[in-house]
Amino acid sequence: MLAQVLSSANLGIEAYLVRVEVDISGGLPYFSTVGLPDGAVKESKDRVSAAIKNAGFVFPRKRITVNLAPADIRKEGAGFDLPIAVGILAATDQVSRELLMRMVLLGELSLDGSLRNVRAVLSMATEARRQQVGGIIVPSGNAQEAAIVEGLRVFPVSSLGETVEMLNEQKCPEPFTVDLDDLFAQSSHYDADFSDVKGQEHVKRALEVAAAGGHNIIMVGPPGSGKTMLARRLPTILPPMTLDEALETTRIHSVAGLLPREKALIAIRPFRAPHHTISDAGLIGGGHHPRPGEVSLAHRGVLFLDELPEFKKNVLEVMRQPLEDGQVTIARANISLTYPANFMLAAAMNPCPCGYYSDARVECSCTPLQIQRYMSRISGPLLDRIDIHIEVPAVRYKELSGLSQGDASSAIRERVIRARKLQLPRFQHRKIYSNAQMSSQDIRRYCAIDTSSSNLLQMAVSKFGLSARAYDRILKVSRTIADLEGQESISSAHVAEAIQYRSLDRNLWM
């Protein structure tokens, strides 16, 4: 007897439909799974057989062959347990076949027949709607995530028995629905705020400029000066996520298996802060079975690299492509995957190995050679891709003990949004959305400066030995500062402020 069941699998952050074909024939008991299954899929035979028996159904003692089509793409994960079990029951006439090719089935089976959540459900539900499938049956814990996809009927089930009752039309449950607007509003709250930070007004200004233009930023200062605290509040001043951005971000986290159980939609800007011991595959993505890395998990948000010189050099260097292209391509012998990686880089570092080179209160114990070696761990090409360098001094006691508070994140965000609104019409015919993404041609067109500004910039380039890329970065930042002030043209004051944000260039720092 032959039965066919629809299921789905993911490839990168996209999904495709999988036809689960189950054939039961005479012969000695044998269970074979073909169609390039990975270890978790091969092991499903033990989970499926135990679940079928413990749920009160009959498991056939015959030769069982399961084919996962298309057979030339590797299948992975435990999400095929439910469709395989239903296929076996359908082939032995314990389940009606009428709905099987109109429903996508997903779910991992426990030995008692209950269902566990699976990952990448949002991508699979999106593909099911695109293929105009009648509906999708998912574990109860994945129902809210799948129901985000409008125009698709979602049926949550908690066990194999409940699935069989539904397919046999012994139960006719109503499709599960969510209020997407309400869910989006509930998930759009940040726990941190810039008003929590005492002092550091010039650093807050630099972060505001970075957010307004989408510029990468690095903060240099002694331990305890508030670099991490400031970086964690950077997402709170970025423009609010659109629904499309939230769905895209949620898909990436769902594929990686990092979507919080209680949160079906990520509607705030991601903030990722990997430890400096991370590998290049962990940062960029990859592995034997490619997975999105930290740069993709930070898509539409902020990637924070604390203690930047402590990262391995090869790890930092592989970040050049996503910083320039906004995406990561992972190539293997039999597959090539592209993950989105459009993020803001925020980095932090000490000014020297001991950390107190720029601290007026604690004497630095490092020699000039030690400082030079420490700084040289960050390559010039990577440093040139960071638009804003800002020093973060230790906070004085008077500022810590004072009652005055700076602007709240909401007030800063409003200024950032106004600046971004000036940039969108400027690039409406281009596939860029902020000043940081401007090409050399865009810089010549939108960053024209007057004679006094040109003289000031010429003096800075010759005195500090700035590279051509640093020259372009200064013009981009100047354009953003002018946008924050609502100015059409760039003035010498804007250029002077932008030059101050290049403090890590070698000649200036040493």
Side-chain angles (χ1 to χ4, degrees):
M1 296 292 290
L2 176 67
Q4 297 183 353
V5 183
L6 278 184
S7 188
S8 184
N10 68 289
L11 188 63
I13 65 168
E14 303 298 332
Y16 60 97
L17 292 187
V18 175
R19 191 184 297 262
V20 180
E21 302 171 340
V22 180
D23 178 71
I24 299 180
S25 58
L28 293 175
Y30 183 72
F31 197 127
S32 173
T33 304
V34 296
L36 288 183
D38 73 343
V41 180
K42 290 179 180 178
E43 291 173 354
S44 67
K45 61 182 181 181
D46 299 315
R47 294 190 297 271
V48 167
S49 61
I52 288 177
K53 289 182 287 189
N54 291 329
F57 301 103
V58 178
F59 184 80
R61 304 295 296 173
K62 296 183 178 181
R63 184 179 183 88
I64 302 173
T65 303
V66 177
N67 179 45
L68 306 176
D72 59 340
I73 304 177
R74 188 172 184 83
K75 320 298 187 308
E76 57 183 46
F80 293 107
D81 289 3
L82 181 61
I84 290 174
V86 169
I88 292 173
L89 295 177
T92 54
D93 296 325
Q94 298 177 73
V95 170
S96 171
R97 307 186 188 200
E98 186 176 346
L99 296 176
L100 290 186
M101 294 308 292
R102 302 205 304 266
M103 289 283 182
V104 171
L105 276 67
L106 303 168
E108 176 187 344
L109 283 171
S110 298
L111 298 185
D112 61 356
S114 61
L115 284 174
R116 292 194 176 101
N117 295 358
V118 295
R119 57 184 177 83
V121 168
L122 181 56
S123 295
M124 298 176 191
T126 303
E127 178 64 13
R129 182 189 62 182
R130 192 181 72 84
Q131 297 286 353
Q132 299 181 344
V133 177
I136 185 170
I137 297 176
V138 297
S140 299
N142 291 125
Q144 199 173 35
E145 180 184 350
I148 291 174
V149 180
E150 296 178 328
L152 178 69
R153 295 189 303 162
V154 177
F155 298 96
V157 291
S158 58
S159 66
L160 176 60
E162 189 177 342
T163 306
V164 172
E165 288 179 350
M166 183 187 149
L167 292 173
N168 287 336
E169 299 184 340
Q170 296 170 344
K171 277 187 177 181
C172 298
E174 290 294 321
F176 184 87
T177 59
V178 296
D179 187 336
L180 190 55
D181 293 333
D182 183 57
L183 184 64
F184 185 71
Q186 290 179 5
S187 305
S188 301
H189 175 69
Y190 291 95
D191 295 327
D193 196 277
F194 255 97
S195 59
D196 302 331
V197 183
K198 298 291 184 70
Q200 307 291 19
E201 296 303 322
H202 73 294
V203 185
K204 294 179 185 178
R205 167 64 177 179
L207 290 170
E208 180 180 338
V209 173
H215 303 286
N216 301 321
I217 184 171
I218 183 170
M219 295 174 283
V220 186
S225 57
K227 301 185 294 293
T228 302
M229 185 178 187
L230 286 159
R232 288 190 180 278
R233 282 150 180 78
L234 180 55
T236 68
I237 64 173
L238 292 172
M241 293 185 81
T242 64
L243 182 57
D244 288 340
E245 288 177 335
L247 290 172
E248 186 180 26
T249 302
T250 303
R251 286 173 64 189
I252 297 172
H253 284 73
S254 178
V255 166
L258 298 176
L259 190 64
R261 186 176 294 272
E262 70 284 353
K263 187 180 294 186
L265 184 68
I266 297 177
I268 60 174
R269 301 283 177 182
F271 179 84
R272 303 294 301 181
H275 193 259
H276 59 77
T277 56
I278 192 172
S279 66
D280 51 357
L283 186 65
I284 299 299
H288 185 61
H289 303 305
R291 289 281 187 275
E294 291 292 332
V295 296
S296 296
L297 295 172
H299 181 61
R300 303 295 184 187
V302 175
L303 177 67
F304 178 54
L305 302 183
D306 199 7
E307 303 296 343
L308 187 64
E310 302 299 331
F311 284 79
K312 296 177 183 176
K313 190 154 188 156
N314 66 301
V315 173
L316 294 179
E317 292 307 307
V318 296
M319 239 183 2
R320 291 192 199 177
Q321 184 210 357
L323 283 174
E324 290 290 338
D325 302 336
Q327 62 182 22
V328 173
T329 300
I330 300 170
R332 294 293 182 266
N334 59 345
I335 194 171
S336 179
L337 299 176
T338 298
Y339 293 110
N342 190 357
F343 61 92
M344 269 187 65
L345 174 64
M349 61 177 291
N350 295 330
C352 65
C354 78
Y356 296 104
Y357 176 70
S358 60
D359 195 335
R361 301 172 304 176
V362 182
E363 184 178 357
C364 174
S365 59
C366 303
T367 65
L369 182 59
Q370 288 176 321
I371 296 175
Q372 186 176 7
R373 286 177 177 171
Y374 182 76
M375 298 296 296
S376 65
R377 294 181 186 177
I378 309 172
S379 69
L382 177 62
L383 201 59
D384 280 341
R385 285 169 170 81
I386 301 177
D387 299 350
I388 297 177
H389 313 159
I390 189 72
E391 293 183 56
V392 186
V395 183
R396 295 173 296 180
Y397 175 78
K398 183 178 179 180
E399 294 172 326
L400 285 173
S401 60
L403 298 177
S404 61
Q405 291 183 326
D407 289 343
S409 292
S410 56
I412 302 174
R413 190 190 306 120
E414 287 301 318
R415 297 196 292 267
V416 169
I417 291 172
R418 285 198 298 269
R420 289 282 185 114
K421 286 181 178 179
L422 294 176
Q423 298 168 41
L424 289 176
R426 185 180 298 152
F427 309 123
Q428 60 182 342
H429 300 300
R430 303 288 307 281
K431 291 184 178 180
I432 58 178
Y433 308 99
S434 63
N435 289 335
Q437 299 173 309
M438 286 191 292
S439 65
S440 298
Q441 182 180 358
D442 296 321
I443 293 173
R444 290 194 299 270
R445 181 174 181 181
Y446 300 115
C447 300
I449 54 178
D450 57 23
T451 304
S452 59
S453 300
S454 179
N455 293 336
L456 178 63
L457 191 51
Q458 181 182 4
M459 182 177 64
V461 169
S462 60
K463 182 176 180 180
F464 302 140
L466 303 179
S467 66
R469 184 173 275 121
Y471 172 85
D472 287 346
R473 297 305 195 230
I474 290 173
L475 290 177
K476 289 182 182 181
V477 175
S478 301
R479 178 67 270 170
T480 299
I481 296 170
D483 290 340
L484 277 170
E485 296 184 3
Q487 300 293 326
E488 181 65 28
S489 58
I490 299 174
S491 69
S492 57
H494 303 147
V495 174
E497 183 178 353
I499 291 172
Q500 293 179 33
Y501 297 144
R502 300 299 303 182
S503 62
L504 264 187
D505 288 303
R506 294 296 188 264
N507 291 349
L508 177 59
W509 184 252
M510 297 303 296

